[in-house]
């Protein structure tokens, strides 16, 4: 699918991977709405990214606010691309010094990372289903393919290589990876594709808050290139997924070949 003239929403778009993705999509000609919490720098981010980017304050677990973000986008262009980057990273051993992990901490992680991702996917897919199919040649030499939309979700290498203290986070991201294929199959008759990206160690605000020695140690564990991934590299993969019609129902690791150790 070609991005020029299409509409896209990006959750978690005020910073990190989401901001990088919004910038790339807008530069490719898409009308973009970034979705983030009301207290985020979303409004400022939208201004910085230009006239083709707007901000919609929303909680990804809330149906009404996500639908309002979709409605805001469709004032300018039909929704054809939905990218879910919103999420939280939590850590805690199943049984720690203070006893078992608080159940509400586990539930909150699942609710935001997994249920929030599904909420965005289902509402986006419903909007995409009303689109007229686009029949276009996205890449040279590729047959024209009819499409209504593309959904890109974000898992993590923790879905496969969960470390000590990551039971809640790994479960949430494992769920995102696991629902990729059934979502793609569910939506195939609507001409909507679904692909998930599983990033490794990336340059994000969360990572920037870690001590330099911790960051250096993490980078040394990445085989090649031995550095953190960037939002630009994540965004480049999102763009390729959108433009390559054969990518569907798959989770793609973006991690420099790292396999996380237990701790």
């Amino acid at each position: 699918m070609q991005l020029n003239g299409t509409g896209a929403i990006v959750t978690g778009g005020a910073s990190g991977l989401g901001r990088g993705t919004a910038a790339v999509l807008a530069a490719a000609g898409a009308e973009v709405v970034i979705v983030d919490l009301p207290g985020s720098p979303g409004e400022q981010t939208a201004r910085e990214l230009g006239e083709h980017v707007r901000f919609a304050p929303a909680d990804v677990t809330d149906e009404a606010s996500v639908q309002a973000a979709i409605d805001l986008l469709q004032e300018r262009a039909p929704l054809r691309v939905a990218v879910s980057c919103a999420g939280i990273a939590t850590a805690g051993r199943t049984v720690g010094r203070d006893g078992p992990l608080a159940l509400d901490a586990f539930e909150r992680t699942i609710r935001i990372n997994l249920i929030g991702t599904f909420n965005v996917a289902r509402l986006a897919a419903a909007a995409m289903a009303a689109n007229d199919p686009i029949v276009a040649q996205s890449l040279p030499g590729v047959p024209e393919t009819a499409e209504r939309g593309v959904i890109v979700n974000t898992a993590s290498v923790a879905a496969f290589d969960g470390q000590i203290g990551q039971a809640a986070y790994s479960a949430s991201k494992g769920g995102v990876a696991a629902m990729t294929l059934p979502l793609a199959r569910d939506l195939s008759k609507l001409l909507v594709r679904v692909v998930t990206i599983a990033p490794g160690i990336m340059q994000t605000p969360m990572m920037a808050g870690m001590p330099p020695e911790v960051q250096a140690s993490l980078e040394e564990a990445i085989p090649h290139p031995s550095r953190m991934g960037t939002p630009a590299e994540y965004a480049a993969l999102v763009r390729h997924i959108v433009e390559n019609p054969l990518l569907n129902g798959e989770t793609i690791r973006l991690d420099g070949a790292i396999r996380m150790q237990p701790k």
Side-chain angles (χ1 to χ4, degrees):
M1 178 182 296
Q2 296 175 344
L3 281 162
N4 189 39
T6 65
I9 61 168
V10 181
T11 73
S15 63
L17 303 182
R19 178 184 172 127
T21 300
V24 165
L25 297 182
E31 294 289 339
V32 181
V33 165
I34 57 175
V35 176
D36 218 310
L37 292 171
S40 73
E43 196 68 58
Q44 177 183 343
T45 298
R47 287 197 301 270
E48 292 172 352
L49 294 182
E51 61 178 337
H52 296 290
V53 181
R54 289 194 288 176
F55 171 60
D59 180 336
V60 293
T61 67
D62 178 69
E63 179 174 358
S65 61
V66 172
Q67 186 61 55
I70 292 172
D71 293 343
L72 177 66
L73 171 67
Q74 297 203 126
E75 292 174 3
R76 290 189 175 180
L79 172 62
R80 293 192 182 274
V81 178
V83 185
S84 283
C85 294
I88 60 172
T90 55
R93 292 180 182 241
T94 305
V95 179
R97 294 176 181 175
D98 299 324
L101 180 70
L103 189 58
D104 60 353
F106 188 94
E107 289 178 337
R108 180 169 181 265
T109 306
I110 296 294
R111 180 157 185 79
I112 294 172
N113 292 357
L114 178 56
I115 296 176
T117 296
F118 179 74
N119 186 42
V120 173
R122 73 187 184 93
L123 295 175
M128 292 171 183
N131 293 337
D132 292 329
I134 291 177
V135 180
Q137 185 183 45
S138 300
L139 299 170
V142 172
E144 291 186 342
T145 303
E147 297 190 275
R148 285 193 172 94
V150 183
I151 295 169
V152 182
N153 295 328
T154 305
S156 165
V157 295
F160 314 104
D161 312 331
Q163 295 184 293
I164 290 170
Q166 286 190 326
Y169 184 68
S170 293
S172 69
K173 295 300 189 177
V176 173
M179 72 180 178
T180 304
L181 181 58
L183 281 177
R185 288 172 166 172
D186 279 355
L187 301 176
S188 61
K189 291 190 176 183
L190 299 177
L191 307 182
V192 173
R193 292 186 286 118
V194 182
V195 178
T196 293
I197 300 174
I201 299 169
M202 308 293 285
Q203 290 178 359
T204 62
M206 178 187 69
M207 192 61 63
M210 293 186 175
E213 61 273 17
V214 173
Q215 295 185 43
S217 175
L218 289 170
E219 288 183 324
E220 289 174 3
I222 305 170
H224 178 69
S226 294
R227 60 167 174 78
M228 295 181 197
T230 66
E233 288 167 314
Y234 176 94
L237 181 53
V238 171
R239 178 170 180 173
H240 183 73
I241 289 167
V242 172
E243 293 179 339
N244 190 329
L246 202 59
L247 283 171
N248 194 18
E250 182 59 275
T251 297
I252 304 170
R253 291 182 70 130
L254 184 67
D255 62 9
I258 195 172
R259 297 298 181 266
M260 303 296 290
Q261 299 302 305
K263 62 179 179 178

